[in-house]
Amino acid sequence: MEAAGADGLLAPLRRLLSWAAAGAMVFGGVVPYIPQYRDIRRTQSADGFSTHVCLVLLVANILRILFWFGRHFESPLLWQSIIMILTMLLMLKLCTEVRVANELNIKRRSFADLDPHHFWRWSSFADYVQCVLAFAGVAGYITYLSIDSALFVETLGFFAVLTEAMLGVPQLYRNHCHRSTEGMSLKMVLMWTSGDTFKTAYFLLNGAPLQFSVCGLLQVLVDLAILGQAYAFARHPQKPVPHAVHPVSAKAL
């Protein structure tokens, strides 16, 4: 009788914890970008943030949504992808406006130019939206034609989570090239690490497809490498190179 009463008390608690975990999965992924977004608005500079991070996450989450049509997984993971796509579009909008406002001798570059040298360096947010819609349309059409192939669906899921696992690589590469993490929000990377650790544990405990767990572990390793860069470059900072100072537009966003 006492055991039944204890189970009756624990059941609501389990449901509450389950809802909290699901909510953390849906919205937790966007939290790391809040301090970076605020830093860009405050400094009117997006130099410390690689917009290729947005590219990686947009591709990864579009592919993950398409994977869901072939193999349904938990709803929180699907909603997480939708929320992340919207967040990355907001980040791109801010970064594009700040970069264009600060550029001198602006030469308009657009997605319609199909110039690989300026890919993902366009002058208007609308060009990024066109690129994302084009990719989603082509990938969606291919998925529609191949949805009955189990091999295609599993491969699609693998590429979706592998792409997301490479999230930190553009930032890692940028830091390596500049020998500095100046302009990068350390809070963002710490949140990446804690969030990816939680996410990987969630995958393992909830029996998510194997691709999710393996690539989650890889993502944590990349996060730790970026934190290692921040520590190393802080101990051995690069000497500043003298350069001419140009006036910068203070256009408000």
Side-chain angles (χ1 to χ4, degrees):
M1 190 72 177
E2 292 180 358
D7 287 341
L9 290 174
L10 289 175
L13 179 60
R14 291 194 190 99
R15 284 197 297 270
L16 180 61
L17 291 175
S18 177
W19 292 339
M25 281 301 301
V26 173
F27 297 103
V30 305
V31 171
Y33 298 97
I34 296 175
Q36 184 70 68
Y37 187 92
R38 294 178 64 183
D39 285 348
I40 293 172
R41 284 189 66 91
R42 177 176 55 82
T43 62
Q44 290 294 290
S45 172
D47 291 342
F49 177 72
S50 172
T51 54
H52 286 87
V53 169
C54 300
L55 173 62
V56 169
L57 278 175
L58 286 167
V59 170
N61 285 282
I62 289 171
L63 293 179
R64 189 199 284 187
I65 291 173
L66 295 175
F67 177 50
W68 181 86
F69 287 101
R71 181 179 175 185
H72 287 193
F73 45 79
E74 289 196 335
S75 296
L77 298 179
L78 178 63
W79 281 107
Q80 181 197 50
S81 291
I82 295 171
I83 297 297
M84 184 60 75
I85 288 172
L86 295 175
T87 302
M88 289 303 101
L89 290 175
L90 285 174
M91 288 293 295
L92 271 176
K93 185 175 187 297
L94 175 64
C95 291
T96 304
E97 290 176 350
V98 167
R99 177 168 52 80
V100 170
N102 291 340
E103 279 184 347
L104 300 175
N105 302 320
I106 298 174
K107 180 180 179 181
R108 178 172 172 76
R109 309 183 188 104
S110 70
F111 171 64
D113 295 337
L114 300 179
D115 185 351
H117 295 97
H118 296 123
F119 178 77
W120 215 248
R121 289 279 300 174
W122 301 308
S123 304
S124 170
F125 172 65
D127 293 303
Y128 292 93
V129 174
Q130 291 173 20
C131 180
V132 171
L133 290 176
F135 173 78
V138 172
Y141 182 66
I142 294 172
T143 302
Y144 173 75
L145 294 177
S146 310
I147 198 70
D148 293 328
S149 170
L151 177 61
F152 173 83
V153 170
E154 293 301 322
T155 303
L156 178 65
F158 174 76
F159 276 112
V161 291
L162 180 63
T163 305
E164 184 175 357
M166 296 295 102
L167 162 66
V169 172
Q171 191 69 54
L172 187 74
Y173 179 71
R174 182 203 170 279
N175 296 344
H176 173 74
C177 290
H178 290 78
R179 305 298 298 172
S180 169
T181 57
E182 184 179 358
M184 181 191 76
S185 171
L186 187 58
K187 291 179 183 178
M188 178 186 72
V189 182
L190 288 170
M191 290 180 183
W192 273 358
T193 308
S194 58
D196 291 337
T197 302
F198 170 80
K199 180 171 64 177
T200 304
Y202 182 91
F203 292 156
L204 293 169
L205 293 174
N206 286 274
L210 180 63
Q211 300 102 314
F212 284 72
S213 301
V214 172
C215 293
L217 290 171
L218 178 59
Q219 201 166 355
V220 172
L221 293 177
V222 174
D223 295 340
L224 292 175
I226 295 176
L227 287 176
Q229 285 182 323
Y231 175 76
F233 296 152
R235 284 182 56 116
H236 305 285
Q238 186 181 31
K239 292 182 179 180
V241 179
H243 59 278
V245 177
H246 298 285
V248 177
S249 168
K251 177 183 175 183
L253 297 179

